[in-house]
Structures are given as structure tokens and as C-alpha cells.
Amino acid sequence: MIALDLNPLLTLFSSIGLEEMGKVRLMNRLDTKYVVSLPVLAEILKCALPDYRIQEIKGQRCPLYHTTYLETQDYAMYLAHHNGKKRREKIRVRTYEVSGISFLEVKNKTNKGRTKKERIQVEGISSLHTEDAEDFLRAYAWYDLSELRFFLENSFGRITLVNHAMTERVTLDLNLYFHNLQTGCDSNLSRLAVIELKRNGRMESPMADIMCGLRVKPCGFSKYCIGTALTSDFSLKKNRFKAKLHMAERLIQQKIII
């Protein structure tokens, strides 16, 4: 059993609102990911207090996100990542539960390791078959809407930090839950956190220093690919993700009371 109440710790951070946060959009950026256990997550937050503010939306500091990923019939986007392609793409609809606003998003990873994201506001997954959404995908995605199907849902709570210099953003995702719309299978990673440092280039970073001090090493971790591997049938290739699945399983099996 896990008892993790981060609220007392989160209230210690100075807050930043959406309007000011818009100055740190970082739609073309370098991402560094980490995966940690819950005790390490709490320690990271304590260390981050002097250098970061926390995003607050309608009084919430860990709002719920819901994402629906689109995929081709032959798993082209999943397999591109699995097979080690440097250039790859993900297409999703993300809903911010606290505001009810949804975006259709296209994320591309370049062969230089940068992440580029384009998005357009939509009314949810039921509104994708519109001229605006189809034009958006034709402009920014590798795939036409007719080639895609709704494939995987996930939800998680997200803590978002921004440094005082407004040059980087850190997202800390916890209570990850997955539902595969094709197999009907569910899975969760509720006993770990996925942390992502987002910045314009390899500039100095308080969070990178914190991770180094706690001996937490970067770890590529795609929520989409791991969720797909956890919930798909045995015929889908998963070899490339076995080490990360085993790591996640070790964290999940920990009996932690905080």
C-alpha cells in the first residue's frame, strides 16, 4: 500500500499562473526524462523549492490530464520508436481536466534529438472529423486522419515547475493509468513518477543538478510506448522496452509508506 500526500509539500512553492507560464511554452526544445520511485520524487520536490515555482490552475497544483493516442493499423508510430528510429512522431488528443480544454497535438522527434510540437484546439476526440482538424494533420503530421484509429488512453496527475529564470519547465507525472482501446486491457504505474526536463538547449539547469546530486540518471521513457507494451497482446514487438518494463515493475513492487 502507498500513502503519498504531496499537497503539504506542494503548498510550499510559490505559484505561477497560466498567463505567465505561457512565456515558457518551449514548443521546440530538448527533453530529458527520468523515472523515479515515490520517495525520490518527494526528495526532488524538497530540493527544488529554492529554484522553482509551481503552476497553479484554479487552485490545483497537480491537475489531471487525459490523453488519447492515435495510431495506424500497423503500429507505425509505436514501431518507429521500438526500432530505434531517430525521427518519429506521435499524434494525440490531450484534455486538461481542470479547464475542460482539449488539443489535437502532433509531436515530432528530430534526428538532432529535439522535440517539436504543434497543436490545435478541438472539442474532444469526437470532433476530429472536421475540416480544421484534417487540415491541421495534413499540414503537420505524416499520416492522414483516414489512416488513424483511436488506440490508447492514459491519465495522470501532473506537477509543473518553472525555474525563476523562465528558461526551463519540469513536468512530474504520477498515478499513470493506461487503457488500450483495441484490446480492452488496463494497466497502471501508480508507484513511480516520470519526470521530464524541457529546455531550449543544454543550458545550466537547477533540476539537472538536483538529479545529479541524487544520483538519478536520465532514462528515456515514452508513456505511449510503455503503455502500449503493457496493454497490447503478445504478438506486438516489445524487446526494446523490456529493460524499462522490468525497471518499472521493480518500482511498482516496492511497498512504500511515505
Side-chain angles (χ1 to χ4, degrees), residues 193-212:
V194 179
I195 299 173
E196 190 167 4
L197 171 58
K198 308 170 185 183
R199 48 184 168 162
N200 284 324
R202 302 189 183 280
M203 61 185 64
E204 291 187 8
S205 162
M207 183 57 67
D209 292 341
I210 290 169
M211 294 300 191
C212 183

Side-chain angles (χ1 to χ4, degrees), residues 11 20 26 33 37 39 51 56 81 85 97 100 108 129 132 140 143 170 198 204 208 220 223 252:
T11 59
E20 190 176 3
L26 302 178
K33 290 186 180 180
S37 63
D51 296 299
E56 182 173 316
H81 199 145
K85 300 287 187 182
E97 297 289 343
N108 285 99
H129 293 279
D132 286 346
Y140 296 110
Y143 307 96
V170 184
K198 308 170 185 183
E204 291 187 8
K223 290 192 289 292
I252 288 170

Side-chain angles (χ1 to χ4, degrees), residues 80-214:
H81 199 145
H82 180 278
N83 295 337
K85 300 287 187 182
K86 291 185 179 296
R87 295 181 67 248
R88 53 186 186 263
E89 180 170 277
K90 293 186 178 69
I91 302 172
R92 67 194 187 191
V93 176
R94 171 157 290 173
T95 299
Y96 301 84
E97 297 289 343
V98 68
S99 64
I101 296 175
S102 299
F103 292 93
L104 172 61
E105 300 181 343
V106 176
K107 284 184 67 176
N108 285 99
K109 182 77 75 172
T110 73
N111 57 7
K112 303 294 185 183
R114 297 191 74 88
T115 299
K116 295 184 178 181
K117 184 169 75 172
E118 301 288 345
R119 69 181 189 177
I120 183 175
Q121 188 170 341
V122 295
E123 295 301 318
I125 62 174
S126 61
S127 66
L128 292 197
H129 293 279
T130 63
E131 186 174 344
D132 286 346
E134 292 177 355
D135 287 347
F136 171 78
L137 290 178
R138 278 192 288 268
Y140 296 110
W142 300 345
Y143 307 96
D144 188 81
L145 189 59
S146 62
E147 303 175 76
L148 302 171
R149 56 180 177 163
F150 297 119
F151 179 65
L152 182 77
E153 293 179 329
N154 82 344
S155 62
F156 52 90
R158 169 165 286 185
I159 301 163
T160 303
L161 305 179
V162 60
N163 66 333
H164 293 305
M166 303 286 283
T167 57
E168 65 178 13
R169 189 168 70 239
V170 184
T171 58
L172 307 98
D173 297 342
L174 59 158
N175 297 324
L176 275 76
Y177 166 81
F178 305 99
H179 173 67
N180 191 309
L181 295 166
Q182 301 301 312
T183 66
C185 291
D186 299 323
S187 187
N188 74 79
L189 297 174
S190 61
R191 299 184 180 184
L192 56 79
V194 179
I195 299 173
E196 190 167 4
L197 171 58
K198 308 170 185 183
R199 48 184 168 162
N200 284 324
R202 302 189 183 280
M203 61 185 64
E204 291 187 8
S205 162
M207 183 57 67
D209 292 341
I210 290 169
M211 294 300 191
C212 183
L214 294 174

